[in-house]
Amino acid sequence: MSVPERARPGRRVLLLALLALLCCASSSPARDAKRARIVVLLFPEARLLPEILAVEGAIRPTLDPEGAVNFYTEYLDLSRLSDAQDEQEMIAFLREKYASRQVDLIMPVAFPTLRFFLKHRAALFPGVPAVFCAANLDAVAGLELGSAITGVRLPSEWGSTLEAALALQPATRRAVVITGTSEIDPTLQAAAAH
């Protein structure tokens, strides 16, 4: 199953990530030769999901065609962090893992990961620039991103999705929007209604 073209990270997000990485570069070429840049990719769920494989498969070769960047990838499995204790254990794990590494860029993928990153940035990666991708425009609207955080918001395609469904089923007279119970679902439901 392939990810629709609009769901793949665009060149803009990858260029933003590259720009952020270059802005973090030191002024000493000798120092640059000793330490490769470190980029941490944060994904909301397990690696086996097709959309995660597609996004990761696009980011790595586009951002680093020469293989000069050290990528660290975290699959946070956020849907299984059911309480504050689970969340604190994840934070402790990440803090310990990256305590001795000089991280140059964080790339949160999708809105749940961006929300987790923003909530715990000060404890995990204080001051490290971030470029997010694959976050829905409706979810990110009005969100306080703070300093050194940018990214590309995915436009909501509610109208296009409905048009495609009606083209496949022209006799349809009623459409129903089904959402979940997460924090973002009311925002997405309201956007779909318009």
Side-chain angles (χ1 to χ4, degrees), residues 79-99:
S79 63
R80 294 184 187 261
L81 298 182
S82 59
D83 58 29
Q85 181 178 347
D86 289 344
E87 197 167 299
Q88 290 306 313
E89 288 173 4
M90 176 63 74
I91 293 163
F93 166 75
L94 292 171
R95 192 176 337 183
E96 183 175 333
K97 181 174 181 177
Y98 294 101

Side-chain angles (χ1 to χ4, degrees), residues 169-186:
Q169 299 291 328
T172 300
R173 297 291 172 248
R174 186 173 138 200
V176 177
V177 176
I178 300 173
T179 61
T181 58
S182 72
E183 292 176 34
I184 188 56
D185 284 317

Side-chain angles (χ1 to χ4, degrees), residues 16-25 37-39 63 69 104-105:
L16 284 169
L18 185 57
L19 180 61
L21 196 57
L22 291 173
C23 288
C24 297
R37 300 288 169 218
I38 294 177
V39 174
L63 183 59
V69 174
D104 297 293
L105 181 67

Side-chain angles (χ1 to χ4, degrees), residues 73-158:
T73 307
E74 300 298 337
Y75 306 99
L76 303 176
D77 211 6
L78 293 176
S79 63
R80 294 184 187 261
L81 298 182
S82 59
D83 58 29
Q85 181 178 347
D86 289 344
E87 197 167 299
Q88 290 306 313
E89 288 173 4
M90 176 63 74
I91 293 163
F93 166 75
L94 292 171
R95 192 176 337 183
E96 183 175 333
K97 181 174 181 177
Y98 294 101
S100 63
R101 293 177 173 87
Q102 185 179 340
V103 175
D104 297 293
L105 181 67
I106 304 294
M107 290 191 73
V109 178
F111 178 74
T113 315
L114 175 61
R115 184 179 59 221
F116 177 87
F117 169 74
L118 291 173
K119 183 177 178 183
H120 303 293
R121 181 183 186 200
L124 294 173
F125 305 104
V128 176
V131 176
F132 65 85
C133 64
N136 185 284
L137 179 64
D138 298 319
V140 178
L143 191 63
E144 179 56 47
L145 296 177
S147 64
I149 300 174
T150 189
V152 175
R153 298 160 172 93
L154 292 178
S156 297
E157 299 288 341
W158 305 110

Side-chain angles (χ1 to χ4, degrees), residues 49-68:
L49 295 174
E51 58 272 19
I52 289 178
L53 289 171
V55 171
E56 185 175 1
I59 288 174
R60 288 174 182 267
T62 305
L63 183 59
D64 184 31
E66 304 297 320

